Amino acid sequence: MIFSNIKHDSFIEVWAGEGLPMISVLMPLYKQVHYIKSALYSILSQRGVVVEIIISDDASFDGTFDLAWESVQYWLTKNGSKHRVVMRSGSKRLWRDHLPLLVDNATCDIVCQAHGDDESHPDRARITVDLFKQFPRLSMLACEPTLVNELGELIGSERPLNPKIEVTRFSYKSIMEGHSCLIGFSQAWRVGVMRKFERLDRSFSAVAHDRILAFRASLVGDVMLINAQLIRRREHSLAASKLMFIEPGRFAWALACLTALNAMKTDLYQAKVMAVLTDALYLELISQIDSLIINNTYDLTRAYCLHAQTGTQITWVDEDTLLRLRSNQS
């Protein structure tokens, strides 16, 4: 297949693979041309289980998709693959529903994220699938990262993979507050479980998806952490999380937190209707979320006022959200 056969916004199967995939790896890309090759190769070299790899570029203008396409073609020509590979290049969806779009096109009930600037351990998919089989109530699984810099050099420490994999269960509190390991790049979850709730779409900002998904998973099953470093997470200046944290007042982060917390209240009511929560636990969690909403509303207002006073541009927030905020301030 040639690159020109990929139509704008269309998902195209570029490699059929062998056998039935057990897990869908979702790769949402955006301006990661410097790192995409190693990220892709780490997924294409997964071992022990057949993987469905869904690669979707988010209207990058730095050549990310071109290099992704060339890298996949080079790998397949040289090595072949037992994995199924699907690719897409299309319109910008970053602050809307890029991740849900990939989930909608996944054929496996277990999915995980693998971003274009990180690298996955070659056994990540196999270990993930094995743990979902081992724990029937498991609805979401995260793993610890090894941190590297822009050049791929180690930051901090890296532990060898222990043959005996251990897991830790997350509490409701740590999930609501946003545990540092429960973020997009590390998450794997059961799609079927998540479909009990309203679809995450254009009404949610992208960075709020992480926390909403984790909370939903906790309401209907167990959320666990693999006590092993299965991802090499790259710290660099253009990373989305880095841009959100360095903004004056961390406006985008406060907005994402507030969006997630309000969604959690809706999900709590849905879980109560499904009778998966006791009345006492429902009231307890509502109270905790209300307290967090008050704190994040204060942070958001303070951050917005700081931007207004300094005349700085708020990045990583879509224009519709800005218009609503400005209307509320007037």
Side-chain angles (χ1 to χ4, degrees):
M1 177 179 289
I2 59 174
F3 173 79
S4 60
N5 284 346
I6 292 189
K7 297 179 181 179
H8 192 72
D9 277 336
S10 297
F11 284 91
I12 300 296
E13 182 184 81
V14 298
W15 192 261
E18 302 172 3
L20 184 67
M22 300 295 292
I23 183 172
S24 297
V25 176
L26 315 178
M27 295 195 74
L29 310 180
Y30 183 65
K31 293 177 63 177
Q32 292 156 330
V33 68
H34 299 298
Y35 317 113
I36 184 58
K37 183 184 292 186
S38 59
L40 279 169
Y41 287 174
S42 75
I43 297 300
L44 286 163
S45 60
Q46 290 294 298
R47 59 198 182 195
V49 65
V50 178
V51 172
E52 175 181 61
I53 306 170
I54 302 178
I55 304 160
S56 177
D57 182 64
D58 198 26
S60 301
F61 49 83
D62 64 344
T64 292
F65 183 80
D66 293 345
L67 183 55
W69 174 263
E70 293 170 6
S71 300
V72 168
Q73 293 302 315
Y74 175 80
W75 178 278
L76 295 176
T77 300
K78 183 178 179 181
N79 306 301
S81 180
K82 63 182 179 181
H83 306 310
R84 179 175 186 254
V85 181
V86 178
M87 298 187 72
R88 166 192 171 271
S89 176
S91 54
K92 188 172 183 180
R93 310 177 74 104
L94 181 66
W95 271 96
R96 294 304 191 181
D97 55 350
H98 195 193
L99 177 60
L101 176 72
L102 273 64
V103 175
D104 288 345
N105 283 273
T107 64
C108 302
D109 185 52
I110 300 174
V111 301
C112 72
Q113 294 197 62
H115 293 173
D117 49 3
D118 301 321
E119 299 173 23
S120 294
H121 188 282
D123 290 315
R124 181 190 176 194
R126 176 190 61 79
I127 291 171
T128 299
V129 170
D130 286 348
L131 287 172
F132 272 102
K133 290 179 179 178
Q134 182 179 345
F135 299 99
R137 270 190 50 81
L138 184 59
S139 53
M140 176 172 281
L141 190 62
C143 59
E144 297 176 349
T146 301
L147 298 182
V148 299
N149 63 17
E150 296 185 16
L151 301 177
E153 299 166 336
L154 189 65
I155 302 173
S157 60
E158 183 173 21
R159 304 189 307 274
L161 184 62
N162 192 322
K164 183 181 179 181
I165 301 298
E166 298 181 346
V167 295
T168 302
R169 190 176 184 276
F170 285 102
S171 67
Y172 287 115
K173 185 174 186 294
S174 63
I175 292 169
M176 287 188 295
E177 293 179 347
H179 192 283
S180 60
C181 284
L182 261 182
I183 49 181
F185 74 91
S186 74
Q187 291 179 340
W189 65 93
R190 294 187 195 271
V191 175
V193 170
M194 297 304 187
R195 285 181 178 148
K196 298 177 183 291
F197 297 92
E198 178 185 353
R199 182 184 185 276
L200 293 180
D201 56 20
R202 302 178 76 85
S203 62
F204 299 98
S205 59
V207 290
H209 288 177
D210 302 354
R211 296 182 64 181
I212 298 170
L213 285 171
F215 186 69
R216 289 178 171 184
S218 71
L219 295 176
V220 293
D222 293 330
V223 179
M224 295 183 176
L225 173 69
I226 306 173
N227 299 319
Q229 297 168 312
L230 299 183
I231 298 176
R232 292 174 69 86
R233 188 186 186 197
R234 197 179 302 271
E235 296 282 325
H236 59 97
S237 59
L238 295 180
S241 58
K242 187 72 68 176
L243 290 173
M244 288 163 53
F245 277 114
I246 65 174
E247 275 193 308
R250 299 203 300 172
F251 177 91
W253 179 253
L255 175 64
C257 291
L258 195 59
T259 300
L261 290 166
N262 280 300
M264 288 176 192
K265 292 188 71 172
T266 301
D267 291 338
L268 267 176
Y269 179 76
Q270 179 64 29
K272 187 172 183 292
V273 170
M274 292 188 293
V276 297
L277 291 178
T278 64
D279 289 344
L281 181 56
Y282 171 78
L283 293 174
E284 178 187 342
L285 294 178
I286 283 288
S287 177
Q288 292 179 21
I289 290 174
D290 282 340
S291 296
L292 292 170
I293 285 176
I294 291 172
N295 293 337
N296 279 277
T297 300
Y298 171 78
D299 291 341
L300 183 66
T301 303
R302 182 175 56 83
Y304 179 78
C305 290
L306 178 60
H307 279 275
Q309 291 167 2
T310 59
T312 55
Q313 175 63 40
I314 299 173
T315 58
W316 294 94
V317 180
D318 60 275
E319 191 60 31
D320 290 344
T321 300
L322 288 180
L323 287 173
R324 288 198 299 272
L325 286 167
R326 288 167 184 154
S327 176
N328 292 337
Q329 290 288 321
S330 61

